[in-house]
Amino acid sequence: MNAEKLEYFRGILLEEKRSLLEEAGKTVTEMNSDVTNFPDPTDRATQESDRTFELRIRDRERKLINKIQEALARIDAGTFGICEVCEEDISEARLKARPVTTLCIDCKMEQEKKERMP
């Protein structure tokens, strides 16, 4: 992959990381500032459920941030866009759809097929 395309993907990854970190910061601020104490148990349960859901989303985003960091490291190492199983190039279309991917579409489909087997 040429340097121009690598910089394009670096930009996408850095923007996604910035956006995720911004959302995480908003969540922390909102949770710290929201000290509402609902006397009704149903309202408290709803608030707890909402917080749990929000934290679950942020945990998934934290994992995505780690994958973004790994993808940025692969760009620096010169291995970005190369399938870690078959070592063939990952298609540009796949990288645009999921820039943190480490598998080409064929290897990913094979992996998913094996996961579905009992």
Side-chain angles (χ1 to χ4, degrees):
M1 188 175 294
N2 67 37
E4 186 177 313
K5 287 183 183 174
L6 287 173
E7 286 308 308
Y8 167 78
F9 285 112
R10 182 188 305 276
I12 289 174
L13 290 164
L14 289 172
E15 177 57 29
E16 181 70 14
K17 180 181 169 186
R18 185 203 59 74
S19 176
L20 291 170
L21 290 172
E22 185 178 304
E23 284 300 314
K26 286 180 189 176
T27 299
V28 169
T29 302
E30 289 170 9
M31 286 189 168
N32 285 337
S33 66
D34 185 16
V35 291
T36 308
N37 188 11
F38 294 108
D40 181 45
T42 305
D43 291 339
R44 276 196 311 266
T46 299
Q47 182 186 34
E48 275 303 307
S49 176
D50 290 348
R51 281 187 175 185
T52 300
F53 181 70
E54 184 78 21
L55 290 172
R56 195 173 317 137
I57 289 171
R58 296 300 165 239
D59 187 51
R60 289 182 65 160
E61 289 176 349
R62 179 188 56 81
K63 291 174 184 174
L64 180 54
I65 289 170
N66 288 337
K67 288 182 179 184
I68 290 171
Q69 287 294 107
E70 291 168 2
L72 291 168
R74 286 193 304 277
I75 288 174
D76 293 338
T79 59
F80 180 81
I82 299 171
C83 178
E84 59 184 28
V85 173
C86 68
E87 297 183 356
E88 295 292 323
D89 287 344
I90 300 172
S91 74
E92 223 177 289
R94 177 155 171 74
L95 289 170
K96 285 180 180 177
R98 183 140 175 90
V100 296
T101 192
T102 59
L103 300 175
C104 68
I105 193 67
D106 293 333
C107 291
K108 183 62 177 176
M109 287 186 344
E110 185 65 30
Q111 179 191 51
E112 289 175 354
K113 193 166 129 183
K114 287 178 184 177
E115 288 173 356
R116 279 185 253 132
M117 288 184 177

